[in-house]
Amino acid sequence: MRLELHDTDGSRWKRLRSYADGHVKGCRITRRGGDLLVTVAVKGDPHGVRAISIAGTATLALDVGSELTPPRRSPLSQGREGIKVGVAQLVTSFDPPLKSEIPFLPSDRRVLEKKLPPEEISQVFAGEAALYHGNGGEAETIFAPLAIRRGPAQALALYRLGEAKYMLQKYGEALAAFQGGEKLWPEFLVASPATTFSYADSIVRKGDLERGRRLLDQLIARLADKSYAPILLVRLADILSRQGKDIEAVAIYRTVADGFPNNKARYQARMKLADRQLVSLEPAVFEGLAQNYLDIYQQGGDFALREEGLFKAALLVALYGDAAQAYTLMSEYERKFSHGVYVTIARGVREELLVPISRQLVAADDRDGLVKLALDNREFLAKCLTEPDFIAKLSAAFATGNRRPDEVKLYSFLIGKEWGRNPLLYQALIDDAEVLGDLPLLERAAGDFVRDFPDHPSAQGYRERLAVLAFNRGDMSQVVMRLSDLLQEKRHPEAIESLYYLGKAMDRLGNHRGAERAMLRFLTENRQHSGGTTLVPDAYYVAATACLSRNDRIDAVALFQAGSEVAPAGARDPFVYKLGELARNEKRYADAVRYFQTVVREGKDPEWKKMASQALADMELSRQLAQKLPVSK
């Protein structure tokens, strides 16, 4: 264990080197600058340590023992795999354009007036204004034509074009522009330190570390007395680190972090040192590093540095700490840096964090919390939707709070997303529509379900329900479209009544043969299921009239007869009347009279009774007329 006591002096206590007991096998005290370093060698497996300071004394006690060893944490066991994939490489390798803090020096108008025409002077100043305000794209557009035009403005335009392309992270093109400018006007680099820095950094980013370092060394030597020199030192350390000179790089980082307390380069150096720990971090001690990043966020001053500090603190907690705390930090990052460098990654991390948080809420039966989590994060529920019980638990939470309208809004939004097309969401919407009595929603949700999941086990049932809705509003074509496949030999409906609706729709559309097939299938299915539905008599009637349309009187009579037997007393009139009509047409007058008289005597429907009476009268008149006619020889 190593302790670093800042701005502290003391004896070296050589005798402590040989001290030993059951836990400690030696202690060494050294100095580094104004600090005192204490190294304690511990026996056996790694132990934990607790520092105890006693108020009112200059004493620091160390309590060492296995009981104090922080528990090892396995972030992957908490379902954080998706967070870790690819993130470590990005946060350690991502290297955006640097702000050197070297003041931008615009061109001297008096010098330009001696060399350039007025229109080119205006272009130069417009481009330099764009560079000053960080508008690299605008500056590139202005300087690109000047940079290819031979003349006194070309060298300056090449340098400025290089700065614009560096700002836009076009490092190869920037390097080419800088090199072109250096050939024409090498002295400009001495007069413009900011340009020299961008040039050196472009060289480094394109792989020539040694040459870039030399140029940066020269720049640092010229600006050693300036306030922005420490920032250049940090960049020099970056280059040394890439060259594999870690000891030198770390020494520079520590020098800047410790030696320039009032310079923002201190926090840049601290960030670099923290990033080195991030690569090989032991999860048990992540809190200290996360707090270091938070300190940089709170005190760093520079916008980009503060953004990076907060994001990395949130990332560490997301990987190794409490999911709810990580969610809070990541939400703070998204809120304060909504257009930040890491915002896309932050949203992905937030999406991953919702899974363990939702599990915790489900385990605690916190239904209000689960509903709030879903409503507040509807854009980030893709991972949650893949959880086996998430939708069921969430729907139960909405139902408990009588918040079905909120559920409808959320689920309607989710199924509009490519990743939200989950059959369970559609089914929950359909259930909500039934409870709320919202028929348009029911029809829309069920229609979307059968369109998106035509082979789902529930799809056939929803097709049949859609057909009933269409039937009730008189859309017979839609009924036939939804149900016509039920006429296939091996297809069976979920509800046998669906065959009846199909038959009625076909009958109304004039497809009597199809209506007959559907009704006969309905009657067969009904008998197999021992059904007693009130639709059976009408099914016989429709099937019988369909037989008549193709002049099949025998089957029609059988169907009318069967229908009259199953129809309730008040609904037999149509069947008996039709039997009488068929008997009259076949000249079985005695049977016809019997059927018509039954309707007149026992019928319940005035219309059918009137029609039967008229039929009897017509038959009697025909009989009388027949008796008065002479018999032909």
Side-chain angles (χ1 to χ4, degrees):
M1 292 169 295
R2 294 179 176 85
L3 287 81
E4 185 172 339
L5 307 177
H6 294 289
D7 299 323
T8 305
D9 197 1
S11 302
R12 299 198 180 189
W13 297 305
K14 293 183 179 179
R15 64 181 183 277
L16 292 178
R17 294 183 183 179
S18 59
Y19 172 81
D21 60 22
H23 297 292
V24 177
K25 58 180 180 181
C27 181
R28 183 178 181 183
I29 299 176
T30 58
R31 291 177 183 166
R32 187 177 70 185
D35 300 336
L36 198 65
L37 305 182
V38 181
T39 304
V40 181
V42 181
K43 293 180 179 179
D45 294 331
H47 292 294
V49 61
R50 176 171 56 197
I52 305 172
S53 59
I54 302 174
T57 69
T59 303
L60 179 65
L62 294 183
D63 193 1
V64 182
S66 58
E67 294 81 2
L68 300 174
T69 304
R72 289 183 176 271
R73 306 186 187 192
S74 175
L76 299 185
S77 66
Q78 302 174 30
R80 316 286 177 91
E81 298 90 342
I83 299 175
K84 196 166 187 177
V85 174
V87 171
Q89 181 179 358
L90 183 138
V91 299
T92 55
S93 302
F94 180 70
D95 199 6
L98 296 176
K99 294 181 179 179
S100 66
E101 303 301 321
I102 302 175
F104 178 81
L105 298 177
S107 300
D108 189 326
R109 176 178 289 275
R110 289 173 299 179
V111 174
L112 293 183
E113 287 175 347
K114 296 177 181 178
K115 298 181 179 180
L116 306 179
E119 63 275 9
E120 289 189 357
I121 294 175
S122 298
Q123 284 182 276
V124 168
F125 281 120
E128 290 184 343
L131 284 175
Y132 179 78
H133 290 100
N135 298 326
E138 182 182 348
E140 181 184 31
T141 301
I142 293 172
F143 285 117
L146 287 175
I148 60 174
R149 187 187 307 163
R150 293 184 178 277
Q154 186 178 23
L156 176 61
L158 282 167
Y159 279 121
R160 297 310 193 197
L161 181 62
E163 291 177 272
K165 290 181 177 294
Y166 174 80
M167 192 178 293
L168 297 171
Q169 302 182 50
K170 301 177 180 179
Y171 301 118
E173 296 177 21
L175 180 58
F178 284 133
Q179 289 172 335
E182 186 179 23
K183 289 179 182 178
L184 297 175
W185 190 8
E187 297 81 9
F188 181 80
L189 293 174
V190 178
S192 181
T195 308
T196 304
F197 174 82
S198 300
Y199 186 11
D201 201 40
S202 297
I203 294 171
V204 170
R205 291 174 189 272
K206 295 309 295 180
D208 192 345
L209 300 177
E210 187 59 37
R211 182 178 169 221
R213 194 190 76 176
R214 287 198 305 269
L215 189 56
L216 194 58
D217 282 339
Q218 296 169 9
L219 183 62
I220 293 172
R222 296 205 314 267
L223 304 175
D225 60 334
K226 304 297 184 181
S227 61
Y228 38 81
I231 294 176
L232 302 181
L233 283 173
V234 171
R235 190 52 175 162
L236 176 61
D238 294 343
I239 298 172
L240 290 170
S241 178
R242 290 190 182 186
Q243 289 180 316
K245 300 176 181 180
D246 285 344
I247 296 176
E248 294 91 333
V250 170
I252 293 176
Y253 290 140
R254 285 179 174 166
T255 298
V256 175
D258 297 340
F260 298 90
N262 299 319
N263 192 297
K264 84 169 190 177
R266 174 193 185 190
Y267 294 100
Q268 290 184 335
R270 284 182 60 183
M271 180 72 76
K272 297 295 183 178
L273 291 170
D275 288 347
R276 299 177 74 84
Q277 290 180 262
L278 182 62
V279 178
S280 57
L281 179 69
E282 168 58 47
V285 294
F286 82 93
E287 288 97 339
L289 184 57
Q291 186 57 53
N292 193 5
Y293 281 127
L294 283 176
D295 289 343
I296 295 172
Y297 159 60
Q298 293 162 355
Q299 304 172 28
D302 180 78
F303 184 86
L305 203 59
R306 294 183 67 247
E307 177 193 354
E308 189 175 354
L310 178 56
F311 172 75
K312 289 181 179 177
L315 178 65
L316 274 174
V317 180
L319 283 170
Y320 306 117
D322 178 68
Q325 181 188 2
Y327 169 80
T328 300
L329 286 172
M330 204 60 76
S331 299
E332 180 179 355
Y333 171 82
E334 290 183 67
R335 185 174 65 256
K336 293 190 175 181
F337 303 97
S338 57
H339 300 289
V341 174
Y342 305 100
V343 71
T344 301
I345 302 172
R347 288 171 179 166
V349 172
R350 181 177 175 185
E351 187 176 293
E352 295 283 349
L353 287 171
L354 292 177
V355 173
I357 294 174
S358 66
R359 289 175 185 169
Q360 293 170 7
L361 293 171
V362 168
D365 198 26
D366 185 353
R367 300 192 176 193
D368 289 341
L370 189 61
V371 167
K372 186 177 187 308
L373 184 79
L375 292 176
D376 290 348
N377 298 276
R378 62 180 192 167
E379 292 274 7
F380 306 97
L381 295 177
K383 294 288 184 180
C384 288
L385 294 182
T386 63
E387 289 284 287
D389 298 329
F390 177 77
I391 296 175
K393 296 293 185 182
L394 182 58
S395 293
F398 274 115
T400 301
N402 195 25
R403 302 176 67 176
R404 289 187 183 273
D406 291 332
E407 182 179 29
V408 168
K409 291 179 182 177
L410 175 63
Y411 288 3
S412 297
F413 170 81
L414 293 177
I415 63 177
K417 300 291 185 180
E418 187 66 32
W419 47 263
R421 293 181 180 175
N422 188 307
L424 295 177
L425 288 178
Y426 289 89
Q427 291 173 305
L429 265 180
I430 294 168
D431 292 342
D432 287 339
E434 289 186 324
V435 172
L436 297 172
D438 189 340
L439 292 183
L441 173 62
L442 173 61
E443 191 161 7
R444 184 172 66 253
D448 291 343
F449 184 98
V450 299
R451 181 198 64 213
D452 292 342
F453 310 100
D455 299 322
H456 192 278
S458 299
Q460 182 58 38
Y462 289 134
R463 288 190 192 94
E464 295 176 26
R465 293 167 76 175
L466 287 167
V468 173
L469 291 173
F471 185 87
N472 290 336
R473 68 168 184 271
D475 189 349
M476 300 302 144
S477 298
Q478 187 72 208
V479 176
V480 174
M481 187 272 290
R482 296 287 185 190
L483 300 178
S484 59
D485 64 335
L486 291 178
L487 295 180
Q488 297 176 20
E489 187 173 344
K490 295 184 179 180
R491 295 299 298 270
H492 298 278
E494 284 202 1
I496 58 175
E497 291 82 5
S498 298
L499 286 164
Y500 169 81
Y501 290 113
L502 175 61
K504 288 290 283 187
M506 287 181 158
D507 182 62
R508 292 183 185 180
L509 293 173
N511 183 357
H512 301 298
R513 184 172 293 275
E516 179 185 356
R517 289 179 60 199
M519 289 307 189
L520 292 177
R521 286 283 302 274
F522 166 69
L523 293 169
T524 300
E525 293 270 355
N526 185 65
R527 284 193 297 271
Q528 292 174 351
H529 290 82
S530 301
T533 174
T534 57
L535 302 176
V536 169
D538 190 50
Y540 276 112
Y541 189 86
V542 172
T545 54
C547 288
L548 288 178
S549 70
R550 57 183 178 84
N551 295 318
D552 185 351
R553 295 173 180 268
I554 296 175
D555 286 344
V557 168
L559 289 168
F560 281 131
Q561 188 66 49
S564 69
E565 293 173 0
V566 299
R572 291 174 183 164
D573 298 354
F575 298 96
V576 180
Y577 178 86
K578 283 292 186 180
L579 286 170
E581 197 172 52
L582 284 170
R584 183 178 63 177
N585 293 338
E586 294 174 356
K587 301 186 181 341
R588 292 184 288 110
Y589 297 118
D591 289 339
V593 169
R594 178 167 51 85
Y595 286 129
F596 289 140
Q597 286 179 342
T598 299
V599 175
V600 172
R601 186 175 58 253
E602 301 176 6
K604 306 295 182 182
D605 190 310
E607 290 297 324
W608 288 110
K609 291 177 69 172
K610 180 180 178 181
M611 291 170 62
S613 297
Q614 186 65 48
L616 287 170
D618 290 344
M619 290 180 66
E620 178 62 21
L621 180 60
S622 297
R623 187 185 65 79
Q624 292 177 2
L625 291 174
Q627 289 177 349
K628 292 180 180 180
L629 290 174
V631 180
S632 60
K633 296 181 180 180

